[in-house]
Amino acid sequence: MIQEYSQAVKDDEREVMFVQHRVHLARLFSTLPSYGSSAYWRVLEEPDIHLALPLEVLVKCVRASVPRRDKVGQKRIFEILFRRIATSNARWVHNVLRTSHLSLNEQTLLVHDLYADICECVIRAVIDPTRLFWEENFLHCLSYERKRVYQKFMQREERWRNHHNQSSKHAFRSSLENVDQVKPDIRRKTRIWMVEDEVARQALLAVEQNDIPGLVIGLPDKLKAVVLLIFWEDRTEKDTAQILGITDRTVRNRLKQALLLLHQQLEIEREMQ
Amino acid sequence: MMNREREHALLRITAQYTDETRTGQHPKLGDYLARYPQYADEIADFVAYFHAFEEDIAVGGTIEAATEASIEDAAYPQLLEGFHIAAEAAIDSIMREQESINVVEKVRSRKKTTSDLQRVAEAQENYQMP
């Protein structure tokens, strides 16, 4: 009861913050110099990051240019936007490359494709006036869009299912290498779970906690939550079942399925060597 | 394809999670899944991705981000150059696509107007005074 009350209070505080944030952004947008004037562009193209307009306001500016059919202006604002998020996107690509273990040629192609896809997705989202959250939290929407791009790209390239790809290794390889090794020392700092499947228990002991998020990305959606809750948050099967509103048996079945998939992937990797 | 309302709700929820993570509050995935069971799969999906690829990317507009940006500009010159080229190409491509859509809409609108005028003319011809 007390927990619910304090959660409700937090929700109210958060809602107040959202409203204040929206009011602030609306005020910034409404006090801009008139559209297309030199003063307008000076404000939008402010180079100092501390004085620059929030990205959310730039989204509003793009959307304001659409009914004006100002293609030149639209392009100019997009260039400002992309310049502002270039480093963030470069870092993201670096993170993706770091887990991919691709050859140099493949990396070059991957970089090109990822950039092209994310740019296109951002442009389409920003010019779509129904995508309102871009006017509230641009960078979070960008994260979401990058997730979609990454997952679509991986599915398209069938890296999660391609048994015949000789030249590249799977993204999870470095993590999966640990799965079959039985470590006498317990890596995890918390309690040991008692799970029926011996293989699952060994995998549980072997996988590093920091590797878990990257490991589960390739799993079907239904299995991700179970693996994260048990492996990553150190929850029991019973707790997991309660949180997800499913039975203990379903939790065990999903866990088995997830580990089977991970093991299968490891076998594929070994065959490819 | 997710409807906009559901997408908006998910963005709100996951934004809260990432804010709490970045401000050192260590949110629990289990708490989120218990609170929003209707979005459990999507939340778990995003959280896994976030911790694998996004957690260490600085949030723009902060001093830390600006500092990191200047460091990263030096670290990833080739990646940044590639990004600028891709951004320019994407903008041009979608602008051209929008222009094509506008042209098609204009032609359709003109055809509709012509056929409407024709119908009015025919109706006037056929109208007989009582």
Side-chain angles (χ1 to χ4, degrees):
Chain A
M1 187 70 144
I2 294 171
Q3 208 172 0
E4 283 170 12
Y5 177 75
S6 70
Q7 184 63 54
V9 167
K10 276 188 195 167
D11 286 347
D12 285 343
E13 285 171 359
R14 199 167 175 86
E15 195 56 39
V16 166
M17 274 172 52
F18 276 139
V19 169
Q20 286 173 345
H21 180 60
R22 279 200 292 267
V23 165
H24 170 65
L25 292 173
R27 192 179 302 131
L28 283 174
F29 179 69
S30 65
T31 55
L32 283 175
S34 58
Y35 181 89
S37 64
S38 329
Y40 178 81
W41 290 114
R42 262 200 307 277
V43 173
L44 263 63
E45 289 170 341
E46 171 60 56
D48 187 342
I49 190 74
H50 303 292
L51 302 173
L53 282 175
L55 294 165
E56 293 79 9
V57 176
L58 291 177
V59 170
K60 285 165 114 59
C61 293
V62 169
R63 292 174 178 177
S65 73
V66 171
R68 291 178 163 87
R69 295 180 183 270
D70 176 15
K71 299 295 178 195
V72 174
Q74 216 176 81
K75 184 173 173 178
R76 198 167 166 181
I77 303 171
F78 272 123
E79 283 167 357
I80 299 167
L81 265 171
F82 283 125
R83 209 178 310 128
R84 295 265 301 264
I85 62 175
T87 305
S88 169
N89 280 333
R91 183 63 186 252
W92 169 67
V93 167
H94 171 78
N95 287 347
V96 171
L97 287 177
R98 193 178 58 194
T99 62
S100 64
H101 306 288
L102 296 173
S103 67
L104 194 57
N105 284 341
E106 284 177 318
Q107 278 190 16
T108 308
L109 289 172
L110 172 62
V111 168
H112 174 81
D113 285 348
L114 286 175
Y115 275 152
D117 286 350
I118 191 61
C119 288
E120 186 179 330
C121 287
V122 168
I123 293 170
R124 290 192 190 284
V126 168
I127 61 178
D128 182 352
T130 65
R131 312 272 302 259
L132 293 171
F133 208 70
W134 285 84
E135 295 181 23
E136 282 191 38
N137 192 331
F138 182 99
L139 288 173
H140 186 69
C141 292
L142 179 61
S143 293
Y144 232 85
E145 220 54 47
R146 291 197 289 228
K147 177 181 81 77
R148 280 198 194 119
V149 167
Y150 172 76
Q151 288 174 331
K152 274 188 192 163
F153 179 83
M154 294 302 278
Q155 283 167 8
R156 197 168 67 228
E157 298 295 314
E158 293 185 10
R159 289 201 191 281
W160 287 332
R161 288 185 290 275
N162 190 349
H163 295 202
H164 304 295
N165 189 342
Q166 300 292 325
S167 60
S168 66
K169 296 178 183 176
H170 194 276
F172 311 134
R173 189 177 190 284
S174 60
S175 300
L176 292 174
E177 272 172 0
N178 292 326
V179 170
D180 269 1
Q181 295 166 21
V182 178
K183 306 281 182 196
D185 57 288
I186 297 173
R187 287 173 179 271
R188 297 185 132 1
K189 52 187 186 298
T190 55
R191 58 188 182 277
I192 299 172
W193 299 264
M194 297 305 293
V195 294
E196 283 178 33
D197 188 42
E198 180 61 25
V199 171
R201 191 166 67 84
Q202 291 177 17
L204 185 79
L205 292 172
V207 176
E208 291 284 353
Q209 197 169 32
N210 287 340
D211 293 337
I212 298 297
L215 204 64
V216 306
I217 286 177
L219 293 176
D221 285 354
K222 275 264 174 278
L223 306 183
K224 286 189 181 97
V226 165
V227 177
L228 286 173
L229 287 172
I230 292 179
F231 281 67
W232 195 54
E233 279 201 348
D234 297 348
R235 306 262 185 180
T236 62
E237 287 181 3
K238 200 175 175 64
D239 284 347
T240 300
Q242 201 170 7
I243 288 167
L244 297 177
I246 54 180
T247 62
D248 292 7
R249 178 172 284 279
T250 305
V251 168
R252 281 195 289 275
N253 286 341
R254 288 186 186 177
L255 196 56
K256 271 188 195 176
Q257 282 175 46
L259 291 169
L260 181 63
L261 285 171
L262 295 175
H263 273 279
Q264 282 175 352
Q265 192 57 46
L266 183 60
E267 286 305 311
I268 291 165
E269 296 290 326
R270 283 183 181 154
E271 281 169 18
M272 275 169 24
Q273 284 185 346
Chain B
M1 188 84 171
M2 205 185 296
N3 68 52
R4 287 283 175 248
E5 274 180 29
R6 188 178 173 86
E7 186 185 56
H8 194 97
L10 262 172
L11 284 167
R12 271 274 189 108
I13 294 163
T14 50
Q16 183 177 344
Y17 180 90
T18 57
D19 284 347
E20 288 177 359
T21 303
R22 288 200 163 109
T23 52
Q25 296 178 53
H26 304 293
K28 293 286 179 201
L29 173 64
D31 294 344
Y32 274 77
L33 299 185
R35 200 156 167 230
Y36 306 106
Q38 69 275 41
Y39 301 120
D41 289 347
E42 291 98 327
I43 293 172
D45 179 41
F46 180 80
V47 164
Y49 165 80
F50 171 75
H51 285 287
F53 294 111
E54 297 275 345
E55 192 175 1
D56 63 345
I57 298 176
V59 176
T62 62
I63 293 171
E64 293 77 16
T67 309
E68 190 177 325
S70 61
I71 293 167
E72 288 185 348
D73 278 352
Y76 312 123
Q78 282 179 325
L79 290 178
L80 283 170
E81 188 191 331
F83 178 73
H84 293 310
I85 293 169
E88 178 110 11
I91 293 169
D92 287 339
S93 166
I94 291 179
M95 294 287 161
R96 277 198 298 275
E97 189 185 297
Q98 279 189 309
E99 279 171 21
S100 309
I101 290 170
N102 287 342
V103 165
V104 167
E105 277 175 5
K106 274 186 191 161
V107 167
R108 280 194 187 139
S109 160
R110 210 172 287 150
K111 277 187 183 170
K112 188 175 182 301
T113 308
T114 307
S115 73
D116 283 345
L117 287 172
Q118 278 174 348
R119 274 202 292 274
V120 167
E122 280 166 14
Q124 281 177 342
E125 276 178 19
N126 294 336
Y127 179 72
Q128 289 175 0
M129 289 290 288

